[in-house]
Amino acid sequence: MASGLLAPGLLAFALSACVDKADLPRPVAQGDAAEGLAIIREVGCAACHKIPGVAWPEGRSGGGLAGFGAKPLIAGRLPNQSDVLVQWLIDAPSLDPGTAMPPMPLTRDQARDVAAYLYTLDED
Ligand code: HEC
């Protein structure tokens, strides 16, 4: 679907994302980080990720999310920008069909809240 339109632009973006300060993540305007943490607990992101603020479980398959807010790229290959992250959280395979991160049952508003929380995780 949208991936056909998005992918070339994202690829160019990812390739040019060699840490220009202007591309660093910034807080998600409409997101509520506290609500995001509650949603993260509810939908079970921690089954696959170790996430600061979530005591249990500490899943390993998706890697830890500590420090994610300070990373220039999502999964090492997509620009870490709020709109891309929101799409990643809802339907990661739409951005990268090969990814092992499954689509998650989030509305766009919920994904914005989750993204806002992830952007508070800027320390390892
Ligand atoms: C079934 C396991 C699974 C679940 C559930 C899951 N993820 Fe993931 N996630 C992964 C995997 C695997 C990757 C690595 C993807 C890749 O590299 O292609 C990933 C990657 C990510 C990344 C990129 C991390 C980085 O260091 O760049 C973020 C952010 C993320 N997930 C957030 C979430 C959030 C938030 C939730 C809950 C809404 C969630 N994930 C649910 C498996 C999962």
Side-chain angles (χ1 to χ4, degrees), residues 9-81:
L10 287 177
L11 183 61
F13 210 151
L15 292 173
S16 67
C18 292
V19 195
D20 177 349
K21 283 277 183 211
D23 289 338
L24 285 176
R26 51 195 73 80
V28 180
Q30 303 105 316
D32 176 336
E35 186 60 27
L37 177 56
I39 294 165
I40 284 172
R41 292 194 171 119
E42 214 174 282
V43 301
C45 311
C48 299
H49 295 283
K50 182 173 179 182
I51 305 172
V54 185
W56 183 91
E58 293 185 350
R60 300 274 164 203
S61 61
L65 297 183
F68 175 76
K71 287 189 182 169
L73 298 175
I74 301 168
R77 54 197 184 274
L78 296 164
N80 192 358
Q81 304 249 313

